[in-house]
Amino acid sequence: MSAAAAEPVQDGSPDPHSTAGKLADLYRRIDEAVHTGKAAAAERQAAKGRQTARDRVEALLDPGSFVEFDELVRHRSINFGMQEKRPYGDGVITGTGTIDGRNVAVFSQDATVFGGSLGEVYGQKIVKAMDFALKTGIPMIGINDGGGARIQEGVVALGLYGEIFMRNVRSSGVIPQISLIMGACAGGAVYSPAITDFTVMVDQTSHMFITGPDVIKTVTGEDVEMEDLGGGRAHNTKSGVAHYLAANEMDALSYVKELLSFLPSNNLSDPPSFPAAEPIAGSIADSLDATDLELDSVIPDSPNQPYDMHEVITRVLDEGEFLEVHALFAPNIIVGFGRIEGRSVGVVANQPTQFAGCLDIDAAEKAARFVRTCDAFNVPVLTFVDVPGFLPGTTQEWDGIIRRGAKLIYAYAEATVPKVTVITRKAYGGAYDVMGSKHLGADINIAWPTAQIAVTGSAGAVNILYRKELKDLTGDELAAKRAELQQHYEDTLANPYIAADRGYVDGVIPPSHTRGYVGRSLRALATKREAAPTRKHGNIPL
């Protein structure tokens, strides 16, 4: 290169044809890509309690770990004057990084660029990240904050949504897929989060809906506010679309980080394990502590008195740590993650404080999805049972409790991960079968002495068995006779010992021994191998 060619141009910048000039040009482009979007738009995001797309990525990943893909791509559309505005990155940030040292792939939509709407190049960036996650076996995390398909690019945008959906399905059960809704997610865009394993929304600042309030008003005449229609609270409590309602964006990101700590990177690996919280050698009786002994008095003397199943769960899990999933939806059943002896477990438990722990449509679907998620990702399932049956009523029957309740049967029977079930109190009728019974393939089933395993409760049983003896009695005489017969039924049938006699439970244990018994059971089951019949796939009653 001649000396003249290396001289700076008149404005003092390096010659664009020199190495220094080319490097300077690269830095300029990168700076432009990093600062895509107007400052005013970013300020509007902040005013709504929302971070920028890049800030979210940096808050989610380990510091300095993010490696960006396609930072300099730009859209190629020429419709409606689009050629006049071709920002680098095209409105979505994609790449890889680490969370707690583990590799993940991520995309983060930028609502300050074309409103976060998805066009051809935007969609191709997401598809590339998803393909990379699948072939390398790492979790895929999507941060959604966009306005749906980019109208200016027409059917091409719709086609890319289809490409994304296809990859969601291919990745399902292979790598964990987690969706964060950090702003708007509307129209076809909502179906990608719906296919993923977990969806996290932020209270008051995130929304999901197929059709917005204005369209609903026009078509049906219904008048509904955005928050009531598709806000985080609506989807956590009513629809069950979302699995966690975060107080703010940092809370949402923290929840995702903790969630990942219970999951493997892919279906061919195991979840992260940690040293056992307490010594595990020696006998169960010798290792009891004050927390274990509290379980011996957790069940009320009256079978009709509720208690909080969380009190049982946290006393069995390591250090009482329980990450609940779907906490605000179908609260009559509890699902979530914890650890026993340092290893991940998925917990499913009836909640006696809500509908007496009855199973209904929402509870069955919530638990079934969770059991299948655990099974897909090699997480053992620990079930706590206190269930008086299925919730009665015409609404449940007409809305499909038979078909939809069967999903829970299917999920338990299909799961091949270690399954341990603890019956704490009631296990009545078909609900006994459904809740991880030995008959559906549970590996270890134990019961507390307070367990009542029977076809029905004592009141219903007495009404059927002793109808003739009771029909001519009234008043105090009827009440006394009914109480006597109910007590006889409970002593004879509503206990764990007939099931133990049949081998339907592997042991009846003091409640205080539960943590030790479950820990030893899961240790023994660590080498479990179970092969399913060869088939394309089953036909779950969807």
Side-chain angles (χ1 to χ4, degrees):
M1 183 179 294
S2 66
E7 292 177 359
V9 293
Q10 289 184 351
D11 64 1
S13 60
D15 183 344
H17 301 102
S18 69
T19 298
K22 291 176 180 177
L23 188 59
D25 180 57
L26 171 63
Y27 285 135
R28 177 190 62 77
R29 292 171 189 265
I30 291 174
D31 183 70
E32 190 175 328
V34 168
H35 296 95
T36 294
K38 296 179 181 178
E43 289 174 6
R44 286 195 297 271
Q45 282 281 93
K48 297 175 184 176
R50 299 172 184 166
Q51 302 177 83
T52 67
R54 200 167 291 274
D55 286 343
R56 290 164 177 164
V57 171
E58 291 176 357
L60 174 67
L61 301 178
D62 295 337
S65 69
F66 183 53
V67 177
E68 188 164 355
F69 293 164
D70 296 327
E71 190 174 30
L72 300 179
V73 303
R74 298 191 292 181
H75 75 77
R76 297 177 288 275
S77 176
I78 59 173
N79 296 322
F80 304 101
M82 289 287 285
Q83 69 273 15
E84 303 300 325
K85 186 178 181 183
R86 299 180 64 223
Y88 289 120
D90 199 47
V92 63
I93 298 165
T94 61
T96 63
T98 62
I99 294 177
D100 294 329
R102 299 169 62 204
N103 288 322
V104 300
V106 63
F107 70 78
S108 181
Q109 299 176 352
D110 189 346
T112 69
V113 179
F114 300 130
S117 60
L118 181 143
E120 180 182 20
V121 170
Y122 183 125
Q124 288 171 343
K125 288 183 66 173
I126 293 176
V127 163
K128 182 188 285 189
M130 296 178 77
D131 285 341
F132 187 88
L134 185 59
K135 69 184 178 183
T136 57
I138 59 176
M140 182 73 230
I141 303 170
I143 302 175
N144 296 268
D145 184 3
R150 193 173 296 172
I151 295 174
Q152 296 92 327
E153 297 195 31
V155 71
V156 177
L158 300 180
L160 264 299
Y161 271 127
E163 297 284 344
I164 292 169
F165 302 156
M166 176 63 80
R167 283 158 179 80
N168 285 134
V169 173
R170 286 179 179 170
S171 298
S172 183
V174 181
I175 56 173
Q177 300 180 86
I178 300 175
S179 298
L180 290 127
I181 312 301
M182 295 293 214
C185 187
V190 300
Y191 283 115
S192 176
I195 302 170
T196 61
D197 300 303
F198 300 97
T199 299
V200 175
M201 296 186 73
V202 182
D203 197 16
Q204 301 298 318
T205 65
S206 62
H207 302 93
M208 294 178 77
F209 43 76
I210 297 293
T211 52
D214 293 342
V215 175
I216 290 174
K217 175 72 172 176
T218 301
V219 175
T220 71
E222 293 177 273
D223 211 342
V224 62
E225 296 295 326
M226 182 94 72
E227 188 65 27
D228 293 335
L229 173 65
R233 192 163 296 277
H235 283 308
N236 272 270
T237 60
K238 297 177 182 178
S239 71
V241 167
H243 298 80
Y244 181 68
L245 180 65
N248 52 52
E249 292 197 359
M250 293 308 294
D251 180 32
L253 296 169
S254 295
Y255 183 84
V256 169
K257 293 180 186 182
E258 189 173 0
L259 183 60
L260 279 173
S261 75
F262 293 100
L263 297 170
S265 294
N266 55 67
N267 66 328
L268 298 180
S269 59
D270 292 321
S273 62
F274 301 86
E278 298 168 0
I280 57 177
S283 71
I284 293 174
D286 290 341
S287 64
L288 299 181
D289 60 22
T291 301
D292 292 318
L293 294 172
E294 289 169 358
L295 287 174
D296 286 339
S297 57
V298 115
I299 303 297
D301 290 334
S302 168
N304 296 320
Q305 184 177 339
Y307 63 95
D308 188 350
M309 189 62 85
H310 288 97
E311 297 297 322
V312 175
I313 295 168
T314 54
R315 284 172 170 81
V316 174
L317 298 178
D318 289 356
E319 300 177 336
E321 294 181 356
F322 179 54
L323 183 71
E324 192 163 354
V325 174
H326 253 154
L328 300 179
F329 180 68
N332 43 320
I333 203 157
I334 300 167
V335 302
F337 293 102
R339 292 185 181 88
I340 291 180
E341 297 185 355
R343 297 182 179 275
S344 292
V345 295
V347 175
V348 179
N350 304 112
Q351 173 57 294
T353 64
Q354 302 287 332
F355 301 134
C358 277
L359 288 171
D360 62 359
I361 289 170
D362 288 343
E365 292 186 333
K366 167 181 168 177
R369 176 66 187 268
F370 185 76
V371 169
R372 300 190 91 209
T373 301
C374 290
D375 188 48
F377 294 116
N378 309 317
V379 179
V381 177
L382 172 60
T383 305
F384 292 97
V385 182
D386 187 349
V387 60
F390 287 89
L391 187 67
T394 55
T395 300
Q396 288 290 305
E397 296 292 348
W398 294 342
D399 286 349
I401 185 63
I402 296 172
R403 170 178 56 84
R404 296 164 75 180
K407 297 177 187 181
L408 188 53
I409 297 174
Y410 195 104
Y412 270 113
E414 177 189 47
T416 59
V417 291
K419 293 176 284 190
V420 177
T421 298
V422 181
I423 302 174
T424 63
R425 192 167 64 174
K426 299 173 184 176
Y428 290 161
Y432 153 72
D433 279 312
V434 169
M435 287 298 300
S437 67
K438 181 70 74 175
H439 322 286
L440 292 185
D443 301 293
I444 299 292
N445 293 66
I446 56 179
W448 290 359
T450 50
Q452 301 173 346
I453 306 171
V455 173
T456 187
S458 59
V462 165
N463 287 339
I464 295 169
L465 296 173
Y466 300 103
R467 185 184 297 110
K468 292 181 180 179
E469 290 89 332
L470 295 174
K471 70 175 183 178
D472 296 326
L473 302 179
T474 58
D476 292 342
E477 187 180 7
L478 174 62
K481 187 62 175 177
R482 186 186 295 279
E484 175 192 336
L485 293 173
Q486 287 183 197
Q487 188 62 58
H488 174 69
Y489 176 83
E490 290 177 7
D491 293 342
T492 306
L493 290 177
N495 61 62
Y497 300 109
I498 295 175
D501 182 69
R502 295 278 183 171
Y504 296 164
V505 295
D506 299 296
V508 180
I509 66 168
S512 55
H513 288 209
T514 304
R515 181 173 56 87
Y517 202 104
V518 170
R520 284 156 177 77
S521 298
L522 290 173
R523 240 184 290 159
L525 289 164
T527 54
K528 176 185 175 183
R529 297 290 181 269
E530 186 173 323
T534 300
R535 60 182 175 181
K536 187 173 183 180
H537 57 72
N539 192 15
I540 187 169
L542 295 174

